[in-house]
Amino acid sequence: MPLSRRALAAAAVIAVVLPLSACGSGDDTGGSSDASGKVEGDITFQTWNLRANFKSYFEGVIAGFEKKYPDAHVKWVDQPAENYADKISADAAGGTLPDVVNVSPDLVAPLAKAGLALDLDKSASKYKKEYLPGAWASHQIPGVKGTYAFPWYLNTGPLFYNKALFEKAGLSPDQPPKTYDDLFADALKISDRTDGKVATLANVPTIEDFGRYGVPLMNKEGTGFTFNDAKGVELLTKYKELYKVKALDSQALTATPESSGRKFLTEAVAMNPGSALDLGNFKKQAPHLYKNIGITDQITSTGHVNMYVMGVMVNSRTKHTPAAVAFAHYVTDAEHQMSFAKKVAIFPSTAGSLEDPYFTKEDGTDETRVRVAAAKSLKTAVNYTPVLFSDQMKTELGNSVARALQGKQSPQEALDAAVKACDRLLQQQG
């Protein structure tokens, strides 16, 4: 399926837990961590729902690799998006995990804990400097030393804002909020000056918001969550204040990307994340909004926006470590990432690639407006979503946030409950 910004964002944060007992059932005699030998042998490369749209691209990449290393041969397999994590889990348990695997950070975490992911800090550290620091770090696991996948393609999204609504509220249309303090101040003004008819935001805070606010999300050992500290409580208290005066949309507790997008389209909300596809929709359906669209970075108080990242992992049990590492690097090197980025709306994780004119020069189209804005923010972006933060944990946090906003619990009580529930789920992961 096409890798839209929204689809990638969803895919990159799918939280799935592989059974560690199953992953750890293999022995350590099948492979070597030494990647310095001759690049040779037959290896298998597994991707995640990419064959339908990018068959010729990957066949070209494999042909180029085999030409460069004539003694190595790559078999490409592509798995559907549905049940991808289950497939990896079954392969891990059965000892049939491919040599090179397309993963997201949450998928690589249990494999790394079980010793099935090759530590690139030991086996491929010479390549580290080729990637953006934040991207390289995205496949590091709290409590486990090392890096367990080459960073591949990245994504993020700029923030749209309605200049006309800012101006009507007496705010500068050319100075949108950058930090959360700015955001909260502007949101209160917009609500006050429109008698609560215009909200600034349509979504409740997620784990990424806590990260961008500067809240420590986990302890360094990776054994417990910490977003219920004073700064986390402060953030949720601010959101509660916004919700009370309708600066946060009244339907935010049940909002979806589609519903919040409609709110922005009808100019009931002043700010909303989006993509170039949204700009085209605004131009057609809401020309008044379109001519007043502003594009800015995600709100952050740390100086770093959030990014979503995909990676390429090497199976630590591969019998052809030099070939597997060489191919994983080849797929994710600057040349091939740049080539892939020009075929789909994603961004390369390689250092310097975002300086290419493709990511810095606008040509007047909506597509380049968004691409340039997103690429600029990605240079120093980080993946705030903890790799151990599962889908169930997101639900627990969301439920706790809702209770706090509705006044059923204090922000401190709500976050304490969320941390307790998430820590319990963390222990169940093994």
Side-chain angles (χ1 to χ4, degrees):
M1 62 183 178
L3 289 180
S4 68
R5 180 172 287 108
R6 185 168 291 161
L8 176 60
V13 296
I14 292 172
V16 192
V17 181
L18 309 187
L20 292 182
S21 58
C23 291
S25 62
D27 57 45
D28 293 317
T29 62
S32 166
S33 63
D34 184 7
S36 63
K38 184 179 180 181
V39 176
E40 60 183 356
D42 296 342
I43 60 172
T44 300
F45 170 48
Q46 177 172 290
T47 52
W48 186 351
N49 198 31
L50 296 175
R51 183 182 292 274
N53 291 293
F54 306 107
K55 182 174 183 288
S56 61
Y57 171 78
F58 285 103
E59 288 177 343
V61 170
I62 291 169
F65 178 78
E66 291 179 344
K67 181 178 180 180
K68 183 176 182 179
Y69 300 105
D71 293 320
H73 302 282
V74 180
K75 177 184 177 182
W76 175 33
V77 297
D78 186 67
Q79 300 295 340
E82 187 177 1
N83 300 321
Y84 185 71
D86 292 339
K87 172 63 175 171
I88 290 181
S89 179
D91 285 342
T96 57
L97 196 67
D99 302 276
V100 181
V101 187
N102 176 193
V103 292
S104 54
D106 56 286
L107 293 182
V108 83
L111 297 174
K113 283 188 171 184
L116 287 178
L118 191 69
D119 180 2
L120 301 182
D121 286 341
K122 292 181 179 179
S123 302
S125 61
K126 65 181 180 180
Y127 298 125
K128 179 178 180 179
K129 64 182 182 297
E130 297 181 19
Y131 301 88
L132 295 170
W136 185 266
S138 65
H139 290 89
Q140 295 172 351
I141 319 301
V144 182
K145 188 176 181 180
T147 301
Y148 293 94
F150 284 99
W152 195 7
Y153 52 88
L154 309 176
N155 226 322
T156 189
L159 195 61
F160 292 142
Y161 68 100
N162 188 320
K163 290 185 175 183
L165 292 180
F166 271 72
E167 198 164 19
K168 286 180 181 178
L171 301 172
S172 171
D174 299 315
Q175 294 182 330
K178 299 293 185 183
T179 69
Y180 280 91
D181 286 344
D182 295 338
L183 173 67
F184 297 142
D186 287 354
L188 291 174
K189 289 176 183 176
I190 291 174
S191 176
D192 179 61
R193 293 170 186 176
T194 63
D195 295 323
K197 294 179 181 178
V198 176
T200 298
L201 301 174
N203 297 285
V204 300
T206 63
I207 194 68
E208 292 84 7
D209 285 294
F210 283 85
R212 287 186 302 233
Y213 192 62
V215 179
L217 304 179
M218 288 195 82
N219 61 30
K220 292 182 180 180
E221 297 76 26
T223 57
F225 292 96
T226 57
F227 53 81
N228 60 334
D229 79 341
K231 200 163 186 65
V233 173
E234 180 181 271
L235 177 68
L236 188 51
T237 300
K238 294 286 188 181
Y239 266 89
K240 183 178 180 180
E241 182 181 357
L242 297 188
Y243 188 67
K244 183 178 180 180
V245 299
K246 298 183 180 179
L248 175 62
D249 186 70
S250 60
Q251 296 176 349
L253 300 183
T254 57
T256 64
E258 291 73 24
S259 67
S260 59
R262 287 193 295 272
K263 290 276 187 177
F264 187 71
L265 183 72
T266 58
E267 302 189 64
V269 171
M271 304 190 80
N272 201 58
S275 71
L277 296 176
D278 293 309
L279 276 180
N281 189 39
F282 300 153
K283 188 175 184 179
K284 180 185 296 185
Q285 298 187 32
H288 180 266
L289 170 64
Y290 179 77
K291 72 177 183 180
N292 288 298
I293 283 290
I295 302 176
T296 188
D297 289 341
Q298 297 171 18
I299 302 297
T300 176
S301 295
T302 65
H304 304 281
V305 304
N306 184 64
M307 69 177 172
Y308 302 104
V309 57
M310 280 289 179
V312 177
M313 184 199 87
V314 175
N315 183 353
S316 66
R317 311 289 167 83
T318 178
K319 297 185 185 302
H320 303 288
T321 301
V325 169
F327 183 71
H329 172 253
Y330 188 81
V331 171
T332 63
D333 68 16
E335 177 185 352
H336 293 101
Q337 288 212 43
M338 194 68 194
S339 175
F340 195 39
K342 289 184 176 181
K343 295 181 178 297
V344 64
I346 49 88
F347 299 86
S349 63
T350 40
S353 296
L354 296 176
E355 303 295 340
D356 188 280
Y358 183 73
F359 296 111
T360 60
K361 303 292 185 182
E362 291 190 29
D363 61 8
T365 65
D366 291 336
E367 184 179 1
T368 58
R369 289 176 69 190
V370 175
R371 182 198 304 149
V372 169
K376 182 180 179 182
S377 68
L378 273 171
K379 294 173 186 177
T380 58
V382 298
N383 179 20
Y384 284 109
T385 308
V387 298
L388 301 175
F389 200 70
S390 71
D391 208 37
Q392 288 176 287
M393 295 173 188
K394 292 175 192 175
T395 298
E396 291 289 351
L397 176 59
N399 290 340
S400 292
V401 166
R403 289 194 294 271
L405 296 183
Q406 293 171 321
K408 295 178 179 179
Q409 287 183 314
S410 71
Q412 182 72 69
E413 290 170 337
L415 291 180
D416 285 346
V419 164
K420 183 177 180 180
C422 291
D423 283 348
R424 183 180 67 251
L425 292 167
L426 183 66
Q427 295 304 313
Q428 292 173 6
Q429 291 182 11

